[in-house]
Amino acid sequence: MEYMKLRSIGKSGLHSSCIGLGCMGMSEFYGSFDDAENLATLERAMDLGVRMLDTADLYGNGHNEELLGRFLQQTRHRPLIASKCGIVRTDEILSDGNFRRDRNGHPDYIRASCDASLKRLNIEQIDLYYLHRVDPKIPIEDSMGALSELKAAGKIRAIGLSEPTREELQRAAAVVPVAAVQSEYSIWTRSIEVDVLPEIRKIGAALICYSPLGRGLLRHRGQLPVLENDDFRRTLPRFATAHFDANGWLFDILETVATDARMTVPQLMLCWLLAQGEDIVPIPGARKMAHLEQNVAASTLRLTRQQLDHLSHAFSETAVAGQRYSEGVAIKAT
């Protein structure tokens, strides 16, 4: 297979394959995992032309960065490495079975977190480093100042921000250039189109889309996907039977258009995203080589304008049943 086309990461000078790889599920949140299988999948991703690997210190409480550190030592490739800090784990277990997460955007914490991530990744510089969530207790100008210092020190190459509001992004970009914004964006979740995406484009940043497949919200022979007991998606409204059934007509549309376009439903969702702009890079997760290969193949496929318009019209924010997170939950894994 030919290498995927590259897309610019804002004005940073960095480039990524048009489809990256989200590595979170290789360490936590989506059920059991196998390090040997994950390492093989990572190498296969490199063979297919994937050039962005996305991680965070939160994922597996450091395990995910350590996994990528091991991989980087054994591969001949040097992909763009993106990591994050700013979400802090606690020992408190919530009623839905998830652990409580706090936010920390203090400059001292950001500097220490970067050093710890560099050690786990076993590299001297992180290509793209995000503040995982804005901390309401710390002025965002202080947090961005710390990231700017890390860049000046050569510890990171470019600065990113995850899930900011429009105002937060404006304030952040007034302090230091923001190369990338990471937000949940898919045909199922389009809320950022209203105000955040226009601001991303105004400042010239790239949009890195996590959960571009709706966190694997797929219909299997008319049924919900089977999830392991410790899979956190069991707590998400859209994976509840009532909402899943209410979205049945949308699944019908996905399957019909995918059949007409001669592609799978996951490929359809990725093709729709890629068509939304050259500044967009989806980072679907994949632990199995077959899923990885299917996702990467979407970079060679195209939807017609009529198909794109049909999907965009059907999947409005008001049409989709169920919120992306449980009510009242402010921070979840990304």
Side-chain angles (χ1 to χ4, degrees), residues 13-72:
L14 297 174
H15 295 84
S16 168
S17 49
C18 63
I19 296 177
L21 179 60
C23 300
M24 181 186 78
M26 293 182 172
S27 297
E28 197 173 19
F29 300 115
Y30 285 3
S32 58
F33 57 88
D34 179 86
D35 279 357
E37 183 177 37
N38 287 332
L39 289 169
T41 298
L42 288 166
E43 188 61 44
R44 180 58 177 154
M46 298 297 99
D47 293 340
L48 293 172
V50 173
R51 288 297 174 266
M52 177 190 283
L53 301 179
D54 183 88
T55 184
D57 58 2
L58 174 73
Y59 305 158
N61 201 18
H63 173 272
N64 202 243
E65 289 181 325
E66 291 172 352
L67 177 73
L68 292 192
R70 290 168 56 192
F71 172 69
L72 293 173

Side-chain angles (χ1 to χ4, degrees), residues 66-85:
E66 291 172 352
L67 177 73
L68 292 192
R70 290 168 56 192
F71 172 69
L72 293 173
Q73 294 306 302
Q74 69 181 43
T75 184
R76 62 183 175 83
H77 299 282
R78 181 59 175 93
L80 185 157
I81 299 297
S83 194
K84 317 175 197 72
C85 73

Side-chain angles (χ1 to χ4, degrees), residues 107 138-147 167-168 170-172 174-175:
I138 302 293
I140 192 170
E141 291 79 4
D142 293 354
S143 300
M144 301 310 291
L147 291 170
E167 180 187 4
E168 289 167 345
Q170 288 174 332
R171 290 172 58 191
V175 176

Side-chain angles (χ1 to χ4, degrees), residues 7 24 41 61 130 132 147 224 247 262 279 282 312 332:
R7 290 191 168 182
M24 181 186 78
T41 298
N61 201 18
Y130 297 90
H132 209 159
L147 291 170
L224 269 164
N247 286 321
R262 298 183 179 180
D279 52 356
S312 296
K332 285 289 184 180

Side-chain angles (χ1 to χ4, degrees), residues 283-328:
I283 50 169
R287 292 176 292 183
K288 306 290 185 182
M289 283 195 193
H291 294 160
L292 169 73
E293 291 168 355
Q294 175 182 231
N295 293 342
V296 169
S299 67
T300 66
L301 305 175
R302 298 293 183 271
L303 293 166
T304 66
R305 174 45 57 187
Q306 183 178 13
Q307 290 167 333
L308 289 167
D309 290 345
H310 179 40
L311 292 168
S312 296
H313 177 74
F315 281 80
S316 65
E317 280 290 302
T318 56
V320 177
Q323 299 299 310
R324 63 177 181 141
Y325 289 136
S326 301
E327 196 68 30

Side-chain angles (χ1 to χ4, degrees), residues 36-267:
E37 183 177 37
N38 287 332
L39 289 169
T41 298
L42 288 166
E43 188 61 44
R44 180 58 177 154
M46 298 297 99
D47 293 340
L48 293 172
V50 173
R51 288 297 174 266
M52 177 190 283
L53 301 179
D54 183 88
T55 184
D57 58 2
L58 174 73
Y59 305 158
N61 201 18
H63 173 272
N64 202 243
E65 289 181 325
E66 291 172 352
L67 177 73
L68 292 192
R70 290 168 56 192
F71 172 69
L72 293 173
Q73 294 306 302
Q74 69 181 43
T75 184
R76 62 183 175 83
H77 299 282
R78 181 59 175 93
L80 185 157
I81 299 297
S83 194
K84 317 175 197 72
C85 73
I87 298 182
V88 182
R89 305 169 73 101
T90 75
D91 294 330
E92 181 182 352
I93 303 300
L94 303 174
S95 59
D96 63 3
N98 284 289
F99 57 84
R100 180 178 294 282
R101 299 150 174 81
D102 289 333
R103 305 185 187 198
N104 193 335
H106 193 283
D108 290 344
Y109 176 81
I110 290 173
R111 287 188 285 264
S113 295
C114 182
D115 287 341
S117 290
L118 286 167
K119 184 175 181 180
R120 284 189 292 265
L121 290 163
N122 198 16
I123 55 179
E124 295 182 355
Q125 186 180 56
I126 297 171
D127 297 302
L128 177 57
Y129 197 52
Y130 297 90
L131 182 63
H132 209 159
R133 289 293 188 277
V134 175
D135 184 351
K137 305 182 298 296
I138 302 293
I140 192 170
E141 291 79 4
D142 293 354
S143 300
M144 301 310 291
L147 291 170
S148 181
E149 291 172 8
L150 290 172
K151 183 178 178 183
K155 294 184 177 183
I156 64 176
R157 295 180 67 187
I159 295 169
L161 198 56
S162 181
E163 290 276 346
T165 65
R166 180 184 180 185
E167 180 187 4
E168 289 167 345
L169 181 53
Q170 288 174 332
R171 290 172 58 191
V175 176
V176 64
V178 176
V181 173
Q182 187 170 131
S183 287
E184 182 171 359
Y185 185 43
S186 72
I187 200 166
W188 290 102
T189 301
R190 298 173 58 190
S191 58
I192 67 166
E193 291 178 347
V194 177
D195 55 2
V196 177
L197 182 53
E199 191 64 30
I200 292 172
R201 288 176 167 159
K202 182 178 179 181
I203 67 171
L207 171 61
I208 312 302
C209 310
Y210 76 84
S211 298
L213 305 180
R215 299 189 184 276
L217 186 62
L218 303 168
R219 187 165 65 178
H220 298 269
R221 298 177 182 176
Q223 302 296 319
L224 269 164
V226 177
L227 304 178
E228 296 181 41
N229 291 334
D230 60 347
D231 192 316
F232 96 107
R233 289 174 293 179
R234 286 177 169 269
T235 69
L236 302 182
R238 290 178 189 166
F239 286 83
T241 301
H243 290 139
F244 184 84
D245 291 344
N247 286 321
W249 67 283
L250 292 173
F251 286 113
D252 290 341
I253 291 173
L254 287 175
E255 291 165 5
T256 298
V257 177
T259 299
D260 290 344
R262 298 183 179 180
M263 61 180 72
T264 67
V265 170
Q267 289 172 337

